[in-house]
Structure formats: structure tokens, C-alpha cells
Coordinates of all heavy atoms in Angstrom, one line a residue:
M1323 N 209.3 125.4 106.1 CA 208.7 126.2 105.1 C 208.0 127.3 105.8 O 207.1 127.1 106.6 CB 207.7 125.3 104.3 CG 206.9 126.0 103.3 SD 207.8 126.5 101.8 CE 208.4 124.9 101.2
L1324 N 208.3 128.5 105.5 CA 207.7 129.7 106.0 C 206.4 129.9 105.2 O 206.5 130.0 104.0 CB 208.6 130.9 105.9 CG 208.1 132.2 106.4 CD1 207.7 132.2 107.9 CD2 209.1 133.3 106.2
I1325 N 205.3 130.1 105.9 CA 204.0 130.3 105.2 C 203.4 131.5 105.8 O 203.1 131.6 107.0 CB 203.1 129.1 105.4 CG1 203.7 127.8 104.8 CG2 201.7 129.3 104.8 CD1 203.0 126.5 105.1
V1326 N 203.1 132.6 104.9 CA 202.6 133.8 105.4 C 201.4 134.3 104.5 O 201.4 133.9 103.3 CB 203.6 134.9 105.5 CG1 204.7 134.6 106.5 CG2 204.3 135.2 104.1
T1327 N 200.5 135.1 105.0 CA 199.4 135.6 104.3 C 199.8 137.0 103.6 O 199.1 137.5 102.8 CB 198.2 135.8 105.1 OG1 198.5 136.7 106.2 CG2 197.7 134.5 105.6
T1328 N 200.9 137.5 104.0 CA 201.4 138.8 103.5 C 202.1 138.7 102.2 O 202.5 137.6 101.8 CB 202.3 139.5 104.5 OG1 203.5 138.7 104.7 CG2 201.7 139.8 105.9
E1329 N 202.1 139.8 101.5 CA 202.8 139.8 100.2 C 204.3 139.9 100.3 O 205.0 139.4 99.4 CB 202.4 141.0 99.3 CG 200.9 140.9 98.9 CD 200.5 142.1 98.0 OE1 201.4 142.7 97.3 OE2 199.3 142.4 98.0
Q1330 N 204.8 140.5 101.4 CA 206.2 140.7 101.6 C 206.7 140.0 102.9 O 205.9 139.9 103.8 CB 206.6 142.2 101.7 CG 206.2 143.0 100.5 CD 207.1 142.6 99.2 OE1 208.2 142.3 99.4 NE2 206.4 142.6 98.1
I1331 N 207.9 139.6 103.0 CA 208.5 139.1 104.2 C 209.6 140.1 104.6 O 210.6 140.3 103.8 CB 209.1 137.7 104.0 CG1 208.1 136.7 103.5 CG2 209.8 137.2 105.3 CD1 208.6 135.4 103.1
P1332 N 209.4 140.8 105.7 CA 210.3 141.9 106.1 C 211.8 141.4 106.1 O 212.1 140.3 106.7 CB 209.9 142.3 107.5 CG 208.4 141.9 107.5 CD 208.3 140.7 106.7
G1333 N 212.7 142.1 105.4 CA 214.1 141.8 105.4 C 214.5 140.7 104.4 O 215.6 140.3 104.4
K1334 N 213.6 140.2 103.7 CA 213.9 139.1 102.7 C 213.6 139.6 101.3 O 212.6 140.2 101.0 CB 213.0 137.9 103.0 CG 213.3 137.2 104.3 CD 214.6 136.5 104.3 CE 214.7 135.7 105.6 NZ 216.0 134.9 105.6
K1335 N 214.5 139.2 100.4 CA 214.3 139.3 99.0 C 214.2 137.9 98.4 O 214.8 137.0 98.9 CB 215.5 140.0 98.3 CG 215.7 141.5 98.7 CD 216.8 142.1 98.0 CE 216.9 143.6 98.4 NZ 217.9 144.3 97.6
Y1336 N 213.3 137.8 97.4 CA 213.1 136.5 96.9 C 212.7 136.5 95.4 O 212.3 137.5 94.9 CB 212.0 135.7 97.7 CG 210.7 136.5 98.0 CD1 209.8 136.6 97.0 CD2 210.5 137.2 99.2 CE1 208.6 137.3 97.2 CE2 209.3 137.9 99.4 CZ 208.4 137.9 98.4 OH 207.2 138.6 98.6
T1337 N 212.8 135.3 94.8 CA 212.4 135.1 93.5 C 211.1 134.3 93.5 O 211.0 133.3 94.2 CB 213.5 134.4 92.7 OG1 214.7 135.1 92.7 CG2 213.0 134.1 91.2
V1338 N 210.1 134.7 92.7 CA 208.8 134.0 92.6 C 209.1 132.7 91.7 O 209.6 132.8 90.6 CB 207.8 134.9 92.0 CG1 206.5 134.0 91.7 CG2 207.4 136.0 92.9
L1339 N 208.6 131.6 92.3 CA 208.7 130.3 91.6 C 207.4 129.9 90.9 O 207.4 129.2 89.9 CB 209.2 129.2 92.5 CG 210.5 129.4 93.2 CD1 210.8 128.3 94.2 CD2 211.6 129.5 92.2
G1340 N 206.3 130.3 91.4 CA 205.0 130.0 90.9 C 204.0 129.7 92.0 O 204.3 129.8 93.2
M1341 N 202.8 129.3 91.6 CA 201.8 129.0 92.5 C 201.9 127.6 93.1 O 202.3 126.7 92.5 CB 200.4 129.1 91.8 CG 199.3 128.9 92.8 SD 197.6 129.3 92.1 CE 197.3 127.8 91.2
A1342 N 201.6 127.6 94.4 CA 201.6 126.3 95.1 C 200.1 126.1 95.6 O 199.6 127.1 96.1 CB 202.6 126.2 96.3
K1343 N 199.6 124.9 95.5 CA 198.2 124.7 96.0 C 198.1 123.3 96.6 O 198.9 122.4 96.3 CB 197.2 124.9 94.9 CG 197.4 123.9 93.8 CD 196.5 124.3 92.6 CE 196.7 123.4 91.4 NZ 198.0 122.8 91.2
G1344 N 197.1 123.2 97.5 CA 196.8 121.9 98.1 C 195.3 121.9 98.4 O 194.8 122.9 98.8
G1345 N 194.7 120.8 98.2 CA 193.3 120.7 98.4 C 192.9 119.3 99.0 O 193.6 118.3 98.9
I1346 N 191.7 119.3 99.6 CA 191.1 118.1 100.1 C 189.6 118.2 100.1 O 189.1 119.3 100.4 CB 191.7 117.7 101.5 CG1 191.2 116.4 102.0 CG2 191.4 118.8 102.5 CD1 191.9 115.9 103.3
V1347 N 188.9 117.1 99.9 CA 187.5 117.0 100.2 C 187.4 116.0 101.3 O 187.8 114.9 101.2 CB 186.7 116.5 98.9 CG1 185.2 116.3 99.3 CG2 186.9 117.5 97.8
Q1348 N 186.7 116.4 102.4 CA 186.7 115.6 103.6 C 185.2 115.5 104.1 O 184.5 116.5 103.9 CB 187.6 116.1 104.6 CG 187.7 115.2 105.8 CD 189.0 115.6 106.7 OE1 189.9 116.2 106.2 NE2 188.9 115.2 107.9
S1349 N 184.9 114.4 104.7 CA 183.6 114.2 105.3 C 183.7 113.6 106.7 O 184.8 113.1 107.0 CB 182.7 113.3 104.4 OG 183.2 112.0 104.4
K1350 N 182.7 113.7 107.5 CA 182.6 113.1 108.8 C 181.7 111.8 108.6 O 180.9 111.7 107.7 CB 182.0 114.0 109.8 CG 183.0 115.0 110.4 CD 184.0 114.3 111.2 CE 185.0 115.3 111.8 NZ 186.1 114.6 112.4
H1351 N 181.9 110.9 109.6 CA 181.1 109.7 109.5 C 179.7 109.9 109.8 O 179.3 111.0 110.4 CB 181.7 108.6 110.4 CG 181.8 109.0 111.8 ND1 180.7 108.9 112.7 CD2 182.8 109.4 112.6 CE1 181.0 109.3 113.9 NE2 182.3 109.6 113.9
L1352 N 178.8 109.0 109.5 CA 177.4 109.1 109.5 C 176.9 109.5 111.0 O 176.0 110.3 111.1 CB 176.7 107.8 109.1 CG 175.2 107.8 109.0 CD1 174.7 108.9 108.1 CD2 174.6 106.5 108.6
G1353 N 177.5 108.9 112.0 CA 177.1 109.2 113.4 C 177.3 110.7 113.7 O 176.4 111.3 114.3
R1354 N 178.4 111.3 113.3 CA 178.6 112.7 113.5 C 177.6 113.6 112.7 O 177.2 114.6 113.1 CB 180.0 113.1 113.1 CG 181.1 112.5 114.0 CD 181.5 113.6 114.9 NE 182.7 113.1 115.7 CZ 183.3 113.7 116.6 NH1 182.9 114.9 116.9 NH2 184.3 113.2 117.2
D1355 N 177.3 113.1 111.5 CA 176.4 113.8 110.6 C 175.0 113.9 111.2 O 174.3 114.9 111.2 CB 176.4 113.2 109.2 CG 175.9 114.2 108.2 OD1 176.2 115.4 108.3 OD2 175.3 113.7 107.2
I1356 N 174.5 112.7 111.8 CA 173.2 112.7 112.4 C 173.2 113.6 113.6 O 172.3 114.3 113.9 CB 172.9 111.2 112.8 CG1 172.6 110.4 111.5 CG2 171.6 111.2 113.7 CD1 172.5 109.0 111.7
G1357 N 174.3 113.5 114.4 CA 174.4 114.4 115.6 C 174.4 115.8 115.3 O 173.7 116.6 116.0
A1358 N 175.0 116.2 114.2 CA 175.0 117.6 113.8 C 173.6 118.0 113.3 O 173.2 119.2 113.6 CB 176.0 117.8 112.6
S1359 N 172.9 117.1 112.6 CA 171.6 117.5 112.2 C 170.7 117.8 113.4 O 169.9 118.7 113.4 CB 171.0 116.3 111.4 OG 171.7 116.1 110.2
L1360 N 170.8 117.0 114.5 CA 170.0 117.2 115.7 C 170.4 118.5 116.3 O 169.6 119.2 116.9 CB 170.2 116.0 116.6 CG 169.6 114.7 116.1 CD1 170.0 113.6 117.1 CD2 168.1 114.8 115.9
K1361 N 171.7 118.8 116.3 CA 172.2 120.1 117.0 C 171.6 121.3 116.3 O 171.4 122.3 116.9 CB 173.7 120.1 116.9 CG 174.4 121.3 117.6 CD 174.3 121.2 119.1 CE 175.1 122.3 119.7 NZ 175.1 122.2 121.1
T1362 N 171.4 121.2 115.0 CA 170.8 122.4 114.3 C 169.4 122.8 114.8 O 169.0 123.9 114.6 CB 170.8 122.2 112.8 OG1 169.9 121.1 112.5 CG2 172.2 122.0 112.2
L1363 N 168.8 121.8 115.4 CA 167.4 122.1 116.0 C 167.5 123.0 117.2 O 166.6 123.8 117.4 CB 166.7 120.8 116.4 CG 166.4 119.9 115.2 CD1 165.8 118.6 115.8 CD2 165.5 120.5 114.2
V1364 N 168.6 122.9 118.0 CA 168.7 123.7 119.2 C 169.7 124.8 119.1 O 169.8 125.7 119.9 CB 169.0 122.8 120.4 CG1 167.9 121.9 120.7 CG2 170.3 122.1 120.2
G1365 N 170.5 124.8 118.1 CA 171.6 125.9 117.9 C 172.9 125.5 118.6 O 172.9 124.6 119.4
G1366 N 173.9 126.3 118.2 CA 175.2 126.1 118.9 C 176.2 125.6 117.8 O 175.9 125.4 116.7
E1367 N 177.4 125.5 118.3 CA 178.5 125.1 117.5 C 178.4 123.6 117.1 O 178.1 122.7 117.9 CB 179.9 125.3 118.2 CG 181.0 124.8 117.3 CD 182.4 125.0 118.0 OE1 182.4 125.3 119.2 OE2 183.4 124.7 117.4
L1368 N 178.7 123.3 115.8 CA 178.7 121.9 115.4 C 180.2 121.5 115.4 O 180.9 121.6 114.5 CB 178.2 121.8 113.9 CG 176.7 122.4 113.7 CD1 176.3 122.3 112.3 CD2 175.8 121.6 114.6
K1369 N 180.5 121.0 116.6 CA 182.0 120.7 116.9 C 182.5 119.6 115.9 O 183.7 119.7 115.5 CB 182.1 120.2 118.3 CG 181.9 121.4 119.3 CD 182.1 121.0 120.7 CE 181.8 122.2 121.6 NZ 182.0 121.9 123.0
G1370 N 181.7 118.7 115.5 CA 182.2 117.7 114.5 C 182.6 118.3 113.2 O 183.6 118.0 112.6
Y1371 N 181.8 119.3 112.8 CA 182.2 120.0 111.5 C 183.3 121.0 111.7 O 184.1 121.1 110.8 CB 180.9 120.7 111.0 CG 179.9 119.8 110.4 CD1 178.7 119.6 110.9 CD2 180.3 119.0 109.3 CE1 177.8 118.7 110.4 CE2 179.4 118.1 108.7 CZ 178.1 118.0 109.3 OH 177.2 117.1 108.8
T1372 N 183.4 121.6 112.9 CA 184.6 122.4 113.2 C 185.9 121.6 113.1 O 186.8 122.0 112.5 CB 184.4 123.1 114.5 OG1 183.3 123.9 114.6 CG2 185.6 124.0 114.9
E1373 N 185.8 120.4 113.7 CA 187.0 119.5 113.7 C 187.3 119.1 112.2 O 188.5 119.1 111.8 CB 186.7 118.3 114.5 CG 186.7 118.5 116.0 CD 186.2 117.3 116.8 OE1 186.1 116.2 116.1 OE2 186.0 117.4 118.0
M1374 N 186.3 118.8 111.5 CA 186.5 118.4 110.1 C 187.1 119.5 109.3 O 188.1 119.3 108.5 CB 185.1 118.1 109.4 CG 185.2 117.7 108.0 SD 183.6 117.3 107.2 CE 182.9 119.0 107.1
I1375 N 186.7 120.8 109.4 CA 187.2 121.9 108.7 C 188.7 122.1 109.1 O 189.6 122.4 108.3 CB 186.4 123.1 108.8 CG1 185.1 123.0 108.1 CG2 187.1 124.4 108.3 CD1 185.2 122.8 106.6
N1376 N 188.9 122.1 110.4 CA 190.3 122.3 110.9 C 191.2 121.2 110.4 O 192.4 121.5 110.0 CB 190.3 122.3 112.4 CG 189.7 123.5 113.0 OD1 189.7 124.6 112.3 ND2 189.3 123.5 114.2
E1377 N 190.8 119.9 110.4 CA 191.6 118.8 109.8 C 191.9 119.0 108.3 O 193.0 118.8 107.8 CB 190.9 117.5 110.1 CG 190.9 117.1 111.5 CD 189.9 115.9 111.8 OE1 189.4 115.3 110.8 OE2 189.7 115.6 112.9
A1378 N 190.8 119.4 107.6 CA 190.9 119.6 106.2 C 191.9 120.8 105.9 O 192.7 120.7 104.9 CB 189.6 119.8 105.5
S1379 N 191.8 121.9 106.6 CA 192.6 123.0 106.4 C 194.1 122.6 106.7 O 195.0 123.0 105.9 CB 192.3 124.2 107.4 OG 191.0 124.6 107.1
A1380 N 194.4 121.9 107.7 CA 195.7 121.4 108.0 C 196.3 120.5 106.9 O 197.4 120.7 106.5 CB 195.8 120.7 109.3
M1381 N 195.4 119.6 106.3 CA 195.9 118.8 105.3 C 196.1 119.6 104.0 O 197.1 119.3 103.2 CB 194.9 117.7 105.0 CG 195.3 116.7 103.9 SD 196.9 115.9 104.2 CE 196.6 114.8 105.6
A1382 N 195.2 120.5 103.7 CA 195.4 121.4 102.5 C 196.7 122.2 102.6 O 197.4 122.3 101.6 CB 194.2 122.3 102.3
T1383 N 197.0 122.7 103.8 CA 198.2 123.5 104.0 C 199.4 122.6 103.8 O 200.4 123.0 103.2 CB 198.2 124.1 105.4 OG1 197.1 124.9 105.6 CG2 199.5 124.9 105.7
K1384 N 199.4 121.4 104.3 CA 200.5 120.4 104.2 C 200.7 120.1 102.7 O 201.9 120.1 102.3 CB 200.2 119.1 105.0 CG 201.3 118.1 104.9 CD 200.9 116.9 105.7 CE 202.1 115.9 105.7 NZ 201.7 114.6 105.3
R1385 N 199.7 119.9 102.0 CA 199.8 119.5 100.6 C 200.4 120.7 99.8 O 201.2 120.6 98.8 CB 198.5 119.1 100.0 CG 198.1 117.7 100.5 CD 196.8 117.2 100.0 NE 196.5 115.9 100.6 CZ 195.3 115.3 100.4 NH1 194.4 115.8 99.7 NH2 195.1 114.1 100.9
M1386 N 199.9 121.9 100.1 CA 200.4 123.1 99.5 C 201.9 123.3 99.7 O 202.7 123.5 98.8 CB 199.7 124.4 100.0 CG 200.3 125.7 99.5 SD 199.5 127.1 100.2 CE 199.9 126.9 102.0
A1387 N 202.4 123.1 101.0 CA 203.8 123.2 101.4 C 204.6 122.1 100.6 O 205.7 122.4 100.2 CB 203.9 123.0 102.9
E1388 N 204.1 120.9 100.5 CA 204.8 119.8 99.8 C 205.0 120.2 98.3 O 206.0 120.0 97.7 CB 204.0 118.5 99.9 CG 204.1 117.9 101.3 CD 203.1 116.7 101.5 OE1 202.3 116.5 100.6 OE2 203.3 116.1 102.5
E1389 N 203.9 120.8 97.7 CA 204.0 121.2 96.3 C 205.1 122.3 96.1 O 205.9 122.4 95.2 CB 202.7 121.7 95.8 CG 202.7 122.0 94.3 CD 201.3 122.2 93.7 OE1 200.5 121.3 93.7 OE2 201.1 123.4 93.3
A1390 N 205.1 123.3 97.1 CA 206.1 124.4 97.1 C 207.5 123.8 97.2 O 208.4 124.3 96.6 CB 205.8 125.4 98.2
Q1391 N 207.6 122.8 98.1 CA 208.9 122.2 98.3 C 209.5 121.5 97.0 O 210.6 121.6 96.7 CB 208.8 121.2 99.5 CG 210.2 120.7 100.0 CD 210.0 119.9 101.3 OE1 208.9 119.3 101.5 NE2 211.0 119.9 102.1
K1392 N 208.6 120.9 96.3 CA 209.0 120.3 95.0 C 209.5 121.4 94.0 O 210.3 121.1 93.2 CB 207.8 119.5 94.4 CG 207.5 118.3 95.1 CD 206.2 117.6 94.5 CE 205.8 116.4 95.3 NZ 204.6 115.8 94.8
L1393 N 209.0 122.6 94.2 CA 209.4 123.7 93.3 C 210.7 124.3 93.8 O 211.3 125.1 93.1 CB 208.4 124.8 93.3 CG 207.0 124.5 92.6 CD1 206.0 125.6 92.8 CD2 207.2 124.2 91.1
G1394 N 211.2 123.8 95.0 CA 212.4 124.4 95.5 C 212.2 125.6 96.4 O 213.2 126.4 96.6
A1395 N 211.0 125.8 96.8 CA 210.7 127.1 97.6 C 211.2 127.0 99.0 O 211.3 126.0 99.6 CB 209.2 127.3 97.6
D1396 N 211.5 128.2 99.5 CA 211.8 128.4 100.9 C 210.6 128.9 101.7 O 210.6 128.8 102.9 CB 212.9 129.5 101.1 CG 214.2 129.0 100.4 OD1 214.6 127.9 100.7 OD2 214.8 129.8 99.7
A1397 N 209.6 129.5 101.0 CA 208.5 130.1 101.7 C 207.3 130.2 100.7 O 207.5 130.0 99.5 CB 208.8 131.5 102.2
I1398 N 206.1 130.4 101.3 CA 204.9 130.7 100.5 C 204.3 132.0 101.0 O 204.1 132.1 102.2 CB 203.9 129.5 100.6 CG1 204.6 128.2 100.3 CG2 202.7 129.8 99.7 CD1 203.7 127.0 100.7
V1399 N 204.1 132.9 100.1 CA 203.6 134.2 100.4 C 202.2 134.3 99.9 O 201.8 133.6 99.0 CB 204.4 135.4 100.0 CG1 205.8 135.4 100.6 CG2 204.6 135.4 98.5
C1400 N 201.4 135.3 100.4 CA 200.0 135.6 99.9 C 199.1 134.3 100.0 O 198.3 134.0 99.1 CB 200.0 136.0 98.5 SG 200.9 137.6 98.2
V1401 N 199.3 133.6 101.1 CA 198.5 132.4 101.2 C 197.0 132.7 101.5 O 196.7 133.6 102.3 CB 199.0 131.5 102.4 CG1 198.1 130.3 102.7 CG2 200.4 131.0 102.0
R1402 N 196.1 132.0 100.8 CA 194.7 132.1 101.0 C 194.0 130.8 101.1 O 194.6 129.8 100.6 CB 194.1 132.8 99.7 CG 194.7 134.2 99.5 CD 194.3 135.2 100.5 NE 194.8 136.6 100.2 CZ 195.9 137.1 100.8 NH1 196.6 136.4 101.6 NH2 196.2 138.3 100.5
Y1403 N 192.9 130.8 101.7 CA 192.1 129.5 101.9 C 190.7 129.7 101.3 O 190.2 130.8 101.3 CB 191.9 129.1 103.3 CG 193.2 128.7 104.0 CD1 194.1 129.6 104.6 CD2 193.6 127.4 104.0 CE1 195.3 129.2 105.2 CE2 194.8 127.0 104.6 CZ 195.6 127.9 105.1 OH 196.8 127.5 105.7
M1404 N 190.2 128.7 100.7 CA 188.8 128.7 100.2 C 188.2 127.4 100.6 O 188.8 126.3 100.7 CB 188.9 128.7 98.6 CG 187.6 128.7 97.9 SD 187.8 128.6 96.1 CE 188.3 126.9 96.0
S1405 N 186.9 127.5 100.9 CA 186.2 126.3 101.3 C 184.8 126.3 100.7 O 184.2 127.4 100.4 CB 186.1 126.1 102.8 OG 185.3 127.1 103.4
S1406 N 184.3 125.1 100.5 CA 182.9 125.0 99.9 C 182.3 123.7 100.3 O 183.1 122.7 100.6 CB 182.9 125.2 98.4 OG 183.6 124.2 97.8
S1407 N 181.0 123.6 100.4 CA 180.3 122.4 100.6 C 180.1 121.7 99.3 O 179.7 122.3 98.3 CB 179.0 122.7 101.3 OG 178.3 121.5 101.4
V1408 N 180.6 120.4 99.2 CA 180.4 119.7 97.9 C 179.3 118.6 98.0 O 178.9 118.2 97.0 CB 181.8 119.1 97.5 CG1 182.8 120.1 97.2 CG2 182.3 118.1 98.6
A1409 N 178.9 118.3 99.2 CA 177.9 117.3 99.4 C 177.4 117.4 100.8 O 178.1 118.1 101.7 CB 178.3 115.9 99.1
A1410 N 176.3 116.8 101.2 CA 175.8 116.8 102.6 C 176.9 116.2 103.5 O 177.3 115.0 103.2 CB 174.5 116.0 102.7
G1411 N 177.4 116.9 104.4 CA 178.4 116.4 105.3 C 179.8 116.3 104.8 O 180.7 115.8 105.4
A1412 N 180.1 116.9 103.6 CA 181.4 116.9 103.1 C 181.8 118.4 102.6 O 180.9 119.1 102.1 CB 181.5 116.0 101.9
A1413 N 183.0 118.7 102.8 CA 183.5 120.0 102.5 C 184.8 119.9 101.8 O 185.6 119.0 102.0 CB 183.6 120.9 103.7
E1414 N 185.1 120.9 100.9 CA 186.3 121.0 100.2 C 187.1 122.2 100.8 O 186.5 123.2 101.0 CB 186.1 121.3 98.7 CG 187.4 121.6 97.9 CD 187.1 122.1 96.5 OE1 186.1 122.8 96.3 OE2 187.9 121.7 95.6
V1415 N 188.4 122.0 101.0 CA 189.2 123.1 101.4 C 190.4 123.2 100.5 O 191.0 122.1 100.2 CB 189.7 123.0 102.9 CG1 190.7 124.1 103.3 CG2 188.5 122.9 103.9
V1416 N 190.7 124.4 100.0 CA 191.9 124.6 99.1 C 192.7 125.7 99.7 O 192.2 126.7 100.2 CB 191.4 125.0 97.7 CG1 192.6 125.3 96.8 CG2 190.5 123.9 97.1
A1417 N 194.0 125.4 99.8 CA 195.0 126.4 100.2 C 195.9 126.7 99.0 O 196.3 125.8 98.3 CB 195.9 125.9 101.4
Y1418 N 196.2 128.0 98.8 CA 197.0 128.4 97.7 C 197.8 129.6 98.0 O 197.4 130.4 98.8 CB 196.2 128.6 96.4 CG 195.1 129.6 96.5 CD1 195.4 130.9 96.0 CD2 193.9 129.4 97.0 CE1 194.4 131.9 96.1 CE2 192.9 130.3 97.1 CZ 193.2 131.6 96.6 OH 192.2 132.6 96.7
G1419 N 199.0 129.7 97.4 CA 199.8 130.9 97.6 C 200.9 130.9 96.5 O 201.0 130.1 95.6
T1420 N 201.9 131.8 96.7 CA 203.0 132.0 95.8 C 204.2 131.4 96.4 O 204.7 131.9 97.5 CB 203.2 133.5 95.4 OG1 202.0 134.0 94.9 CG2 204.3 133.7 94.4
A1421 N 204.8 130.4 95.7 CA 206.0 129.8 96.2 C 207.2 130.7 95.8 O 207.3 131.2 94.7 CB 206.2 128.4 95.6
V1422 N 208.1 131.0 96.8 CA 209.3 131.8 96.6 C 210.6 131.2 97.0 O 210.5 130.4 98.0 CB 209.1 133.2 97.2 CG1 207.8 133.9 96.7 CG2 209.0 133.1 98.7
K1423 N 211.6 131.6 96.4 CA 213.0 131.2 96.8 C 213.7 132.4 97.3 O 213.8 133.4 96.6 CB 213.7 130.6 95.6 CG 215.1 130.1 95.9 CD 215.0 128.7 96.5 CE 216.4 128.1 96.6 NZ 216.5 127.1 97.6
F1424 N 214.3 132.3 98.5 CA 215.1 133.4 99.0 C 216.4 133.7 98.3 O 217.0 132.7 97.8 CB 215.4 133.2 100.5 CG 214.2 133.2 101.4 CD1 214.2 132.3 102.5 CD2 213.2 134.0 101.3 CE1 213.1 132.3 103.4 CE2 212.1 134.0 102.1 CZ 212.1 133.1 103.2
E1425 N 216.7 135.0 98.1 CA 217.9 135.3 97.4 C 219.0 135.5 98.5 O 218.7 135.9 99.6 CB 217.8 136.6 96.6 CG 216.8 136.5 95.5 CD 216.5 137.8 94.8 OE1 217.1 138.9 95.1 OE2 215.7 137.8 93.9
E1426 N 220.2 135.1 98.2 CA 221.3 135.2 99.1 C 221.8 136.6 99.4 O 221.8 137.5 98.7 CB 222.5 134.3 98.6 CG 222.1 132.9 98.6 CD 221.8 132.2 99.9 OE1 222.4 132.5 100.9 OE2 220.8 131.4 99.9

């Protein structure tokens, strides 16, 4: 599955099939949350949360691609990501784009 953030794929013509999306709400375990709270006192990267967002983004992308595949898509164009905090130590990540089928 080709996944791009651009509106066009150079050299390709395609038919729009519809929107594909994938989302996840993920949290880290309590130990990481406590460690992150202590880290905020001295500053610096919260590596546990960086890992959590990277894992959530990968899963949201995978779910989006699976939804596009069910539509019969060859690619997803105009991909965007959105994230938000839904609770202490938990974040939601949504990936969405336009599923397309290549023309012969």
C-alpha cells in the first residue's frame, strides 16, 4: 500500500474510492507515567511518551491501510495525522486519507 501526504502521485492516474481512517487510544503503564512526571521537574524529552506516540501512530497507520485495502485501494493520498490527550498518560492518534485505485 502506497501511503503519501501529497494530493497527487507523479505519473499515476487513479479513481477516488473514499476516506480511509485508523485510530487508537494508547497509554503507558503506571511506572512510565510516574517517571515522566518526575522528568517534567528537570526538563528534557519524555522518552516513554515519545515511544507511546510513535507506537500509536504506527498502529493508526496500519489500521488506515487495512481499511483502504478493504475498499480495494492501491494507495492512500493526502494522509494526515491528528493526536490529542484523552486522559492523564493516554493519547489518541488518528490517521486519515483518501483511498484510491490506480487506473490501468
Side-chain angles (χ1 to χ4, degrees):
M1323 179 72 58
L1324 179 61
I1325 299 173
V1326 297
T1327 58
T1328 59
E1329 290 183 27
Q1330 302 292 323
I1331 301 171
K1334 296 285 188 181
K1335 291 185 179 186
Y1336 51 79
T1337 302
V1338 171
L1339 300 176
M1341 185 170 77
K1343 63 189 175 331
I1346 185 170
V1347 175
Q1348 188 162 338
S1349 67
K1350 279 292 182 188
H1351 60 77
L1352 183 60
R1354 291 258 188 181
D1355 202 33
I1356 292 170
S1359 295
L1360 295 174
K1361 182 72 172 182
T1362 61
L1363 297 174
V1364 295
E1367 180 182 5
L1368 303 176
K1369 292 183 182 180
Y1371 286 116
T1372 299
E1373 291 171 8
M1374 178 183 71
I1375 291 296
N1376 287 339
E1377 291 167 6
S1379 296
M1381 182 56 71
T1383 302
K1384 180 178 183 230
R1385 290 177 179 177
M1386 175 185 62
E1388 289 169 350
E1389 187 170 296
Q1391 194 170 25
K1392 288 178 187 175
L1393 294 172
D1396 295 312
I1398 308 169
V1399 297
C1400 297
V1401 172
R1402 302 291 184 262
Y1403 291 88
M1404 179 186 72
S1405 67
S1406 63
S1407 177
V1408 295
E1414 172 189 36
V1415 176
V1416 177
Y1418 59 96
T1420 304
V1422 299
K1423 180 82 174 163
F1424 294 141
E1425 296 176 3
E1426 296 297 321

